[in-house]
Amino acid sequence: MTQPLDEAEMARWIAWKQANDAVLGAVAQEIYDASGLSAPDFAVLSRVIENGGGRMPQLDLGALLDWKRARLSRQLSRMAERGLLRREDGPGRRVLVVATDEGRTALSAARPAHARAVRRALLARTGPSGGDTFWRVVQDIATPPEAAS
């Protein structure tokens, strides 16, 4: 049987979760303050605009975000109601997600806020050398085990 985390391991785990929450929260708040976009709005629009040129099959968007179909559908419906995007019929009965001018404008307002927040809440805190060892470890953690082989 696997032993529970000891006190030092638990402290590190809690620190990791708190740091993640703090960075993501700071970035999300700055994006919202600058553009009115939530973190999920930003995730959707940035993928559609930057990866799809403003238009992308809904199925491909779901795969990029690694979201379940129901979650994506609800998010897209909320965004469509706010005029940030629309859905259109595409080839082969596929649904296309299309960013509107309002969505593009909101993403343009969010981009500088995103960069500022990432730099302030995360990058500036890794030290003047850029925390090379830290970032190597983070990259290693982020690489799926099957991709590392």
Side-chain angles (χ1 to χ4, degrees):
M1 182 167 126
T2 302
Q3 294 297 314
L5 297 176
D6 65 30
E7 192 174 318
E9 290 170 325
M10 184 58 80
R12 287 179 177 154
W13 171 241
I14 290 168
W16 172 266
K17 291 190 314 178
Q18 289 173 334
N20 183 56
D21 291 347
V23 170
L24 293 178
V27 172
Q29 188 63 54
E30 189 121 2
I31 287 170
Y32 182 79
D33 291 346
S35 65
L37 295 177
S38 68
D41 295 339
F42 180 81
V44 167
L45 284 172
S46 63
R47 294 330 183 279
V48 170
I49 293 169
E50 294 165 9
N51 296 92
R55 162 183 306 267
M56 174 179 284
Q58 184 170 324
L59 190 63
D60 295 354
L61 177 60
L64 272 177
L65 292 166
D66 194 27
W67 288 2
K68 301 275 189 234
R69 204 157 74 193
R71 177 184 182 191
L72 180 62
S73 183
R74 285 190 304 272
Q75 180 65 37
L76 295 177
S77 293
R78 287 190 297 269
M79 293 175 73
E81 288 172 10
R82 292 175 28 232
L84 298 170
L85 55 79
R86 66 181 181 279
R87 290 186 252 191
E88 298 177 351
D89 292 333
R93 296 182 2 164
R94 294 179 85 178
V95 175
L96 295 177
V97 178
V98 181
T100 63
D101 288 343
E102 188 173 337
R104 289 175 183 277
T105 299
L107 185 65
S108 291
R111 271 282 164 228
H114 173 261
R116 259 191 324 274
V118 168
R119 288 183 182 117
R120 180 181 40 76
L122 178 62
L123 301 178
R125 300 182 78 176
T126 60
S129 68
D132 293 337
T133 301
F134 171 79
W135 290 112
R136 276 194 296 278
V137 170
V138 169
Q139 186 61 48
D140 185 53
I141 292 169
T143 303
E146 62 276 1
S149 304

